[in-house]
Every structure is written in structure tokens, then in C-alpha cells.
Amino acid sequence: MGSTASARNGTWRNWGGTVSARPAREVAPASVDELAAVLRRAAEDGLPVKAVGSGHSFTSIAATDGVLIRPDLLTGIRGIDREAGTVTVEAGTPLRRLNVALAREGLSLTNMGDIMEQTVSGATSTGTHGTGRDSASIAAQIKGLELVTADGTVLTCSEKENPDVFAAARISLGALGVVTAVTFAVEPVFLLTAREEPMPFDRVCAEFDQLHAENEHFEFYWFPHTGNTTTKRNNRSAGPERPVPRLKGWIEDEFLSNGVFQAVNWVGRAVPASIPAIAQISSKALSARTYTDIPYKVFTSPRRVRFVEMEYAVPREALVETLRELKAMIDRSRLRITFPVEVRTAPSDDITLSTASGRDTAYIAVHMFKGTPYQGYFTAAERVFTAHEGRPHWGKIHTRDAEYFSRVYPRFTEFTALRDRLDPERRFRNDYLRRILGT
């Protein structure tokens, strides 16, 4: 975990290099009791508190100059209930370790995002999601959670116990307390067949509703400056297992998707004029392939090229229009974009501040290579997204504030009222929460 977010000479930095902070002190509690004591002591000293995960958020959601809580010792599986189909896991457990441990037990989450570096509580608290017709967000798979509030009280939350807290705390933004354990719904491990193939941008747009309806998990990547996309369909399969051969996998996932892509970005950063020509080549570099494997080996992939990202959730019926507007904006601009635009979907859920709360959703993510100026692109993209009542991912770059969120989240005041009740002194405050939730 320490490898992703770094702390040097008392300075904490996030993975994307967009945020740094100098906490007054750092602690790594080994139990819920120790954590409660940390919170009580912080209150005595009048210091704010933030729990961090692996630092994969691009926003300053975890930054603090007060007490920084590291989750390194709150890891591992607490228990598996095969009859109920649940697993309870300590909040600091990296998703990678959870996925491997579950597979060893013959179990799996139903859906997951595309990277495994985050901690369980970091991923769920910011609304991390994959893509899916019937499931997408990791938080929507939560059946129960344990939350330590500002005064050191330990709350157990589920649909039956503290249901009002449960409704909000599954995506808590770190504003309601410190999540110490999460109970997920799991199922017997299954196989997915992935079918990846290129498809023209116009065809994906024309057939999007059908592609979404016919596949359990559909997503695609559009390469700016081209009319090309790569589509990915993941569907459950009776088998047999046919994983990507190791060498072929290394060439496609490491060499092309990470190694060559890194070099492409270096060239693009040095000579922006070369980007449209490079984009034509890189959009055709990955050929079609089909493989069958257990879920985490299909859903997730290594991301070694560092980037910054903005992602907005728009109503699913507005996706094609939004995407065409984004393409038109890039085409008429002088922007030069090396990273593909990623499109995924999620069904409506009932979590207070979930990006898919109360509406069927499509996600559009824009990326820039770390170290290139991203503001021009992101500002122009954000203008397109917000015109469609877009909701930004809580852990990715955006410029929205509480006033905007109160308009695009029907249950916004429900969340802020709960925060007033659970954290009246604003023990978990920081600049980011002040901006997005208001004072």
C-alpha cells in the first residue's frame, strides 16, 4: 500500500501526484479500540482527522494537516458466511488481496472496477465502480459496515441496523466517520468470457442501447482524433477456462498497454503535433481477442502509466449525445489527447450520494498523461458533462461545489443532515469536503 501513495519527510502524496499534504501526525491503529482512542485524542487536541487508503483519488478527499490514519494494520478477512453469501473484511485490505483470498475460497464479488490497488474502504467511500447492466459499483454490493464516528462510537450499519446511516455510509466520502470493516455480498466463483474487438465510433453510438442490453458488462474506449474504438463485452460463461496465454498477455497488457503506451505518451508530451498520427496507430494496435477466466482476472488490468483523470456520470439515455458533443469539442479544438476516453455503465442504486443514485447511468472518463497540462481539456469536457446534469466521480478531478451537488443529487440534504448529526464538530473536515458539502 505504501508503494502507491508515498510519504517522504512527513509529506503525504497521492498516486497521481496531484495532491500533497503535511499531517501533524500519522497513526496506524491495529484495532477498532485503538482507532476510537485516536479519534478521542484528536478531539482533545482539536485536530481534524482523515483516513487514507492507497492514495488513488486524484482529488484532495483524503488530505489533512491534522491526524492521518493509515489503514495498513486493519487488513484481512474477518469472516465468511457461506449461507448468507457474505464476507466481512477489514477496511484497509487492498482489493487485490481480497480478490485473491476470495478466489482461494471459491468465491467472488459480482462486479469490480478495473484496478485492484485501492483499499476496500477507499474504493467504496469514493464510489469506485466497474461497468454493468445489472451491477457496477463496489459499494452497491455492501450488505453491512462498521463505522467509528467522531466521538469514538462504533456503529454497525445494515438495512436493518441504523438503516439511515447505511443508506449514506456505503459511499461516505470520509465525512461521516472512519469505516473499519465492510460486509460484501459474494457468490460462488464463476467464469467470464471477455470479447474485445475494435468497432467504429459511429457504429458504437448507433448500437449502444443494443450493446448495453445484450451484454452483462459492456464498455468501450474511444481514441480522440480518430473514429476508432475498442469494445469490451464480458459475459458469464459455462467454460472451459481459456486464459490469455502468458506471453500474449504480456505483449498485449504490459508491452502495448503499458510499455509502448508510456513511450507514446512521452513522445506526445515532447511533440504534441505528432499525437493525431500516433492515435491512428495506437487505436489499431490491440487486435480482437476472446478469453475466459475468473472474474478478477477479466475485470481488472494493470495500470502502470501514471495519469490524471476526470470522470462524469450522466443519465444513460444522454450518453450518445454527450459523447458526440465531447468529440465535436475535441475535433474543433487545438487539444492533443493521447489517452482514450473510457465509457462504462451502471444501473440505478439507492445510495444517497452514489453517482448512480436514482438513475440509470453512463460514465465518461477523460485522462491525461501525468505531467501534461490537463486543465484546458478537463475544463472543456466538464462544460459538456455538466450541461447534462453530470455527477463527477468523488475521487477524480472536478471543479463542482455544494451548490451544484444540491441540484444534481435529489437526496443531498439527507446526507448533510446525517453529517451534522454524526460529526457536528467536523472532526473529519478538510478543504475538499468544505467545497463539496458546504459548511
Side-chain angles (χ1 to χ4, degrees):
M1 244 177 308
S3 63
T4 46
S6 58
R8 271 190 221 96
N9 56 39
T11 302
W12 174 85
R13 284 185 179 81
N14 69 339
W15 181 87
T18 51
V19 181
S20 63
R22 290 188 72 98
R25 57 177 183 251
E26 284 192 30
V27 289
S31 67
V32 174
D33 290 343
E34 272 183 36
L35 174 65
V38 166
L39 290 175
R40 286 192 290 269
R41 191 182 151 206
E44 284 162 24
D45 298 344
L47 289 171
V49 177
K50 288 286 12 133
V52 298
S54 58
H56 259 267
S57 287
F58 300 98
T59 58
S60 52
I61 191 165
T64 185
D65 55 4
V67 180
L68 189 76
I69 295 176
R70 289 199 169 270
D72 308 41
L73 303 177
L74 293 171
T75 64
I77 290 178
R78 276 192 193 177
I80 294 171
D81 184 337
R82 287 182 189 272
E83 247 168 71
T86 60
V87 59
T88 301
V89 59
E90 302 271 346
T93 310
L95 291 173
R96 175 182 303 282
R97 278 175 52 195
L98 173 63
N99 287 332
V100 171
L102 286 176
R104 211 175 281 144
E105 296 285 344
L107 299 167
S108 176
L109 291 168
T110 298
N111 205 342
M112 56 195 79
D114 59 2
I115 51 174
M116 297 196 285
E117 313 320 314
Q118 311 108 307
T119 58
V120 161
S121 59
T124 54
S125 296
T126 54
T128 298
H129 61 89
T131 189
R133 184 185 61 203
D134 313 306
S135 73
S137 121
I138 303 179
Q141 298 169 70
I142 295 177
K143 290 289 172 210
L145 57 85
E146 181 179 81
L147 181 76
V148 184
T149 59
D151 61 4
T153 304
V154 182
L155 287 183
T156 315
C157 312
S158 66
E159 279 176 3
K160 292 193 174 67
E161 221 176 333
N162 298 304
D164 55 334
V165 180
F166 183 67
R170 283 172 286 169
I171 297 180
S172 67
L173 316 180
L176 306 175
V178 179
V179 176
T180 45
V182 176
T183 300
F184 287 110
V186 289
E187 55 178 307
V189 74
F190 52 95
L191 292 174
L192 284 170
T193 291
R195 183 173 149 204
E196 297 171 12
E197 62 177 342
M199 193 180 285
F201 177 86
D202 289 333
R203 187 183 150 200
V204 175
C205 287
E207 297 177 15
F208 174 73
D209 288 339
Q210 186 185 344
L211 288 161
H212 172 266
E214 288 176 358
N215 295 284
E216 288 170 74
H217 309 276
F218 176 68
E219 65 187 300
F220 66 93
Y221 297 84
W222 164 59
F223 295 82
H225 315 297
T226 79
N228 307 328
T229 78
T230 293
T231 60
K232 186 170 177 179
R233 303 166 221 209
N234 298 330
N235 289 288
R236 293 195 183 216
S237 160
E241 242 174 273
R242 282 207 179 89
V244 178
R246 190 166 281 182
L247 177 62
K248 192 170 167 16
W250 181 84
I251 290 170
E252 290 169 348
D253 297 325
E254 287 295 344
F255 182 64
L256 289 174
S257 298
N258 284 304
V260 171
F261 190 51
Q262 177 91 31
V264 161
N265 276 283
W266 280 331
V267 172
R269 188 162 68 183
V271 191
S274 66
I275 289 171
I278 293 174
Q280 289 294 343
I281 300 164
S282 58
S283 69
K284 298 187 173 89
L286 294 169
S287 49
R289 63 177 184 174
T290 303
Y291 53 97
T292 302
D293 215 327
I294 60 172
Y296 85 84
K297 294 186 178 177
V298 173
F299 284 131
T300 67
S301 51
R303 288 273 187 280
R304 306 199 202 288
V305 181
R306 300 268 169 144
F307 55 84
V308 287
E309 180 178 359
M310 168 183 278
E311 180 183 65
Y312 265 77
V314 297
R316 201 180 71 226
E317 64 273 14
L319 169 73
V320 171
E321 190 188 339
T322 311
L323 203 55
R324 287 193 188 282
E325 286 169 18
L326 182 71
K327 184 176 190 298
M329 180 276 290
I330 292 172
D331 287 348
R332 67 172 180 263
S333 75
R334 300 179 63 180
L335 294 167
R336 293 294 173 259
I337 315 297
T338 52
F339 262 85
V341 172
E342 182 181 20
V343 178
R344 295 178 287 174
T345 68
S348 165
D349 67 39
D350 63 351
I351 303 169
T352 319
L353 289 188
S354 161
T355 44
S357 184
R359 71 185 191 194
D360 288 338
T361 293
Y363 295 98
I364 306 176
V366 296
H367 308 69
M368 284 290 262
F369 186 44
K370 183 182 170 180
T372 48
Y374 60 82
Q375 286 84 351
Y377 179 29
F378 285 11
T379 302
E382 193 170 37
R383 218 170 278 138
V384 173
F385 300 147
T386 53
H388 294 277
E389 296 203 331
R391 299 167 176 173
H393 187 299
W394 298 111
K396 296 174 188 178
I397 288 167
H398 67 89
T399 65
R400 303 294 91 192
D401 59 14
E403 198 269 327
Y404 178 84
F405 292 125
S406 66
R407 292 203 309 273
V408 297
Y409 283 99
R411 299 169 64 188
F412 187 74
T413 51
E414 197 182 305
F415 189 95
T416 52
L418 181 67
R419 182 193 187 204
D420 289 341
R421 197 181 95 210
L422 294 182
D423 187 14
E425 314 257 292
R426 299 290 187 262
R427 185 66 46 222
F428 303 108
R429 70 186 181 268
N430 66 4
D431 291 343
Y432 183 70
L433 290 184
R434 197 170 294 126
R435 185 183 106 208
I436 63 172
L437 298 176
T439 49

